[in-house]
């Protein structure tokens, strides 16, 4: 019989050296580790000694859905490891879906990535924070991008909390999010959720199960829409509950393993980008921006609230790829408490957000030059009409460029328009002291 405080923890892990430290930290910091039922979908080399050698006791091994399933115990916590070779992976949401298959009607549900750290008694803190929201919502969710940490002997753990906000639309029409720090004395209502940290009632696993055919990008906006239309309300925690390892630049990724060469050799059935293409089509179908024959099955919208109300609450129009000015303004609104009087009234102020990050080599444009008074940056459409122009001095240029190494800069551009400007190219030119205009660099948008 499950405890009234039982927590089902879903972890999708792909060749992650941080998995074992994450399990150790999660269990050792829990107030009631005996209430943790942890399901790990492990995409690796499948040597269970990886766990046993780190102090976890193997109770039994069996087969589940054709894959090895190992039951382990560590400090009274129950761990199920469902193992698959990493070449058999079908993406992040498929892995989360497989882990969810081990759900046993626990009271609470926690979904995390396999590279996290936790505060002391995080389980008690999460349950208390969630239940304190019951007077505001019958189906609350705690979700956000946790602050970062860097693994090592003296782990650097960031000291802030943040809420999710709109960032941009990708060229394929996917909503990308980012986060902004906040300081409040209670959780903050938010329209978005983060796949790397979801804490809510256990019934969420049944009602808003992960779609196994979503590869990676698009999973968060798809799940947020499905959660909202099933009656769930997202809140960003006002206190740190856990940390997340973000950079992972030297760690294995599915897209580096599941490449064209791996498909050609027969190691994988589909290259990662082929699965990604299918996934994005499913997300667009779900959000009503693409008409195709994609069968969403049970991974579709709920009936308690509409997709249109979800757009009103976010201030985002999926089909037009436009947003309310307050979404990208100073306040960075990510949940509108008031609904519009009419759809026409809501459409009128919407704008389009144009964002682009360009890679520019130092020999093309040296942004470290001290003899440059300012830089001209112009964006042009296919008809060669200028749709945006800025003169950026040296101090402000430092705010929009990042030096990735000794030879390459990243230039971040952003501007808003009332209609689709169809940007096509970017031209960059320095105005040099005592000389005048320098050479023009042109890049595609």
């Amino acid at each position: 019989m499950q405890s009234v405080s039982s927590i089902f923890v879903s972890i999708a892990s792909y060749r992650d050296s941080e998995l074992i430290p994450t399990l150790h930290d999660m269990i050792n910091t829990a107030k009631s580790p005996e209430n943790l039922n942890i399901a790990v979908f492990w995409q690796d080399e499948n040597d269970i000694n990886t766990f046993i050698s780190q102090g976890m006791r193997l109770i039994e091994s069996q087969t589940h859905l054709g894959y090895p399933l190992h039951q382990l115990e560590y400090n009274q916590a129950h761990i199920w490891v469902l193992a698959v070779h990493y070449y058999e992976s079908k993406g992040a949401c498929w892995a989360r879906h497989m882990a969810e298959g081990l759900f046993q009607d626990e009271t609470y549900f926690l979904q995390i990535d396999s590279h996290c750290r936790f505060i002391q008694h995080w389980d008690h803190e999460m349950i208390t924070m969630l239940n304190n929201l019951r007077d505001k919502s019958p189906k609350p969710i705690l979700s956000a991008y946790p602050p970062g940490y860097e693994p090592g002997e003296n782990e650097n753990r960031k000291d802030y909390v943040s809420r999710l906000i709109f960032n941009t639309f990708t060229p394929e029409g996917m909503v990308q999010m980012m986060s902004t720090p906040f300081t409040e004395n209670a959780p903050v209502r938010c329209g978005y959720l983060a796949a790397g940290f979801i804490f809510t009632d256990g019934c969420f696993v049944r009602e808003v199960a992960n779609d196994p055919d979503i590869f990676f990008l698009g999973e968060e906006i798809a799940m947020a829409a499905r959660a909202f239309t099933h009656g769930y309300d997202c809140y960003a925690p006002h206190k740190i509950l856990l940390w997340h390892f973000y950079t992972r630049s030297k760690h294995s990724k599915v897209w580096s393993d599941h490449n064209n060469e791996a498909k050609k050799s027969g190691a994988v059935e589909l290259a990662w980008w082929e699965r990604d293409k299918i996934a994005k089509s499913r997300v667009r179908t779900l959000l009503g921006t693409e008409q195709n024959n994609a069968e969403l099955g049970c991974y579709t919208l709920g009936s308690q609230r509409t997709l249109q109300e979800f757009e009103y609450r976010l201030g985002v129009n999926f089909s037009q790829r436009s947003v309310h000015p307050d979404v990208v303004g100073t306040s960075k609104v990510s949940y509108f408490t008031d609904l519009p009087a009419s759809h026409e009234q809501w459409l009128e102020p919407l704008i389009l957000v144009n964002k682009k990050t360009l890679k520019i080599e130092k020999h093309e444009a040296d942004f470290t030059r001290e003899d440059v008074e300012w830089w001209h940056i112009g964006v042009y459409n296919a008809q060669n009409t200028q749709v945006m122009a800025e003169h950026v001095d040296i101090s402000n240029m430092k705010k929009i460029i990042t030096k990735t190494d000794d030879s390459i800069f990243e230039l971040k551009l952003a501007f808003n328009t009332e209609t689709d400007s169809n940007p096509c190219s970017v031209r960059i030119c320095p105005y040099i002291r005592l000389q005048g205009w320098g050479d023009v660099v042109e890049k595609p948008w």
Side-chain angles (χ1 to χ4, degrees), residues 311-356:
E311 291 183 289
Y312 291 159
R313 297 297 188 187
L314 294 181
V316 176
N317 186 308
F318 296 127
S319 60
Q320 292 185 6
R321 303 187 186 183
S322 57
V323 301
H324 191 281
D326 288 345
V327 167
V328 292
T330 304
S331 54
K332 299 287 190 297
V333 176
S334 60
Y335 186 82
F336 289 81
T337 55
D338 296 326
L339 294 173
S342 68
H343 187 64
E344 291 71 24
Q345 181 198 62
W346 180 71
L347 287 173
E348 188 175 349
L350 300 187
I351 59 173
L352 285 90
V353 177
N354 303 276
K355 286 190 174 184
K356 183 73 174 181

Side-chain angles (χ1 to χ4, degrees), residues 44 51 162 193 200 228 290 293 298-299 310 385 390 427 438:
D44 213 298
F51 296 84
S162 64
L193 58 74
T200 186
F228 180 85
E290 179 178 314
N293 296 322
C298 64
Y299 309 106
F310 182 58
T385 301
E390 288 185 345
R427 294 173 193 155

Side-chain angles (χ1 to χ4, degrees), residues 135-149:
D135 60 338
K136 297 180 179 179
S137 170
K139 301 167 82 171
I141 297 173
L142 295 175
S143 188
Y145 291 154
Y149 80 94

Side-chain angles (χ1 to χ4, degrees), residues 262-283:
K263 180 185 177 182
K264 189 175 181 179
S265 70
V268 299
E269 180 183 357
L270 295 173
W272 74 267
W273 60 267
E274 294 176 293
R275 295 192 187 280
D276 190 52
K277 185 177 180 180
I278 295 169
K280 289 171 180 173
S281 179
R282 290 180 69 81
V283 175

Side-chain angles (χ1 to χ4, degrees), residues 212-235:
D213 289 318
I214 294 181
F215 181 77
F216 180 70
L217 189 60
E219 68 167 317
E220 292 179 325
I221 190 62
M223 183 164 274
R226 292 175 56 217
F228 180 85
T229 56
H230 277 88
Y232 286 89
D233 299 310
C234 293
Y235 292 83

Side-chain angles (χ1 to χ4, degrees), residues 57-87:
R57 182 170 64 90
L58 180 63
I59 297 175
E60 70 169 319
S61 296
Q62 54 186 286
T63 300
H64 178 73
L65 300 177
Y67 298 114
L69 175 63
H70 309 283
Q71 183 180 354
L72 303 106
E73 186 272 339
Y74 177 75
N75 192 18
Q76 301 183 72
H78 315 284
I79 307 168
W80 282 264
V81 177
L82 187 57
V84 58
H85 192 275
Y86 62 88
Y87 272 145

